[in-house]
């Protein structure tokens, strides 16, 4: 039992040391005085502003629920990748989050929300267009981010791995949203 808590204490100490290193790194290389920090701020603010003007308010809850799914799943995958050392973001809004807040909480969810809104309003195939958007983000946007030092790979991770995560996120987000829509319809039909 003692060895369990010794190991747990050792892990906690290492995590505290890593958190301290990130705070130092952020202060010296990623804070308010860097263009990358402000790029992430803009990448966070602009998509939300766009969503404010483009959101179909008659379906705001459904589209928002879908977007929240994308945000959560993308955040989990992105955190996994950064914590495991597969990739990192040299510039961040905060040293307390290992990810790109602009990507995880705004750009990616908003793009998928607007796509979801469009495909459901026009009876287009969600999976085809979502895969195209995932490919665009994985094979066009991320290489641009790598070239301007906004994203960095480690340990053999690559763009195809990112694309695979988008496939999982696309499927999970749609299935969960559809499941809750089914629950809503089912409960409405029982009331009627």
């Amino acid at each position: 039992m003692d060895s369990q808590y010794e190991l747990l204490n050792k892990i906690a100490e290492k995590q505290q040391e890593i958190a301290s290193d990130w705070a130092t790194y952020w202060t010296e290389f990623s804070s308010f005085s860097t263009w990358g920090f402000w790029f992430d701020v803009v990448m966070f603010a602009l998509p939300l502003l766009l969503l404010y003007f483009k959101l179909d308010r008659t379906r705001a809850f459904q589209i928002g629920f879908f977007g929240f799914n994308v945000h959560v799943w993308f955040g989990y995958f992105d955190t996994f990748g950064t914590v495991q050392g597969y990739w990192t973001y040299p510039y961040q809004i905060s040293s307390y989050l290992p990810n790109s807040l602009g990507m995880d909480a705004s750009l990616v969810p908003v793009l998928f929300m607007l796509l979801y809104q469009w495909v459901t309003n026009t009876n287009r195939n969600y999976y085809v267009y979502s895969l195209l958007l995932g490919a665009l983000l994985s094979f066009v946007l991320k290489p641009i981010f790598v070239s301007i030092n906004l994203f960095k790979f480690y340990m053999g991770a690559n763009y195809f791995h990112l694309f695979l995560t988008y496939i999982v996120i696309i499927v999970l987000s749609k299935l969960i949203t559809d499941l809750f829509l089914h629950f809503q319809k089912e409960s409405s039909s029982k009331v009627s």
Side-chain angles (χ1 to χ4, degrees):
M1 195 69 131
D2 287 336
S3 64
Q4 174 188 357
Y5 292 113
E6 286 174 15
L7 182 57
L8 189 61
N9 289 337
K10 186 177 176 181
I11 291 168
E13 287 173 12
K14 286 180 181 179
Q15 286 177 324
Q16 292 166 2
E17 187 178 322
I18 290 170
S20 176
D21 288 347
W22 268 116
T24 300
Y25 173 87
W26 185 85
T27 302
E28 292 181 23
F29 303 107
S30 182
S31 64
F32 311 109
S33 63
T34 64
W35 71 272
F37 169 87
W38 292 106
F39 185 89
D40 207 25
V41 168
V42 169
M43 191 169 45
F44 179 78
L46 279 182
L48 294 175
L49 187 63
L50 176 66
L51 182 64
Y52 177 80
F53 290 108
K54 295 294 184 182
L55 180 66
D56 177 354
R57 284 170 169 62
T58 64
R59 299 175 48 222
F61 190 78
Q62 175 187 350
I63 296 165
F65 182 80
F66 170 79
F68 185 72
N69 264 285
V70 172
H71 160 68
V72 168
W73 291 115
F74 189 69
Y76 286 155
F77 278 100
D78 209 20
T79 299
F80 171 80
T82 55
V83 168
Q84 294 300 314
Y86 292 117
W87 56 73
T88 193
Y89 296 89
Y91 298 99
Q92 301 163 356
I93 290 176
S94 167
S95 66
Y96 301 110
L97 302 171
N99 311 1
S100 167
L101 197 58
M103 286 286 292
D104 292 354
S106 184
L107 181 67
V108 171
V110 168
L111 288 174
F112 276 100
M113 287 169 73
L114 293 175
L115 178 79
Y116 177 81
Q117 176 177 291
W118 177 73
V119 297
T120 55
N121 282 344
T122 60
N123 293 318
R124 309 281 174 150
N125 186 307
Y126 165 81
Y127 294 102
V128 169
Y129 288 98
S130 293
L131 286 173
L132 288 172
L133 179 56
L136 182 73
L137 293 170
S138 300
F139 300 116
V140 177
L141 184 65
K142 283 294 184 171
I144 292 170
F145 281 9
V146 167
S147 73
I148 59 175
N149 197 35
L150 290 174
F151 186 74
K152 188 166 177 51
F153 283 114
Y154 297 100
M155 295 176 29
N158 59 50
Y159 302 112
F160 184 71
H161 296 133
L162 295 179
F163 182 61
L164 292 177
T165 65
Y166 278 110
I167 291 172
V168 173
I169 292 165
I170 288 163
V171 171
L172 281 174
S173 298
K174 180 77 163 65
L175 289 176
I176 292 170
T177 302
D178 287 350
L179 178 65
F180 276 79
L181 285 171
H182 171 75
F183 291 157
Q184 185 179 26
K185 273 186 191 173
E186 193 177 73
S187 100
S188 296
S189 68
K190 287 180 182 176
V191 172
S192 301

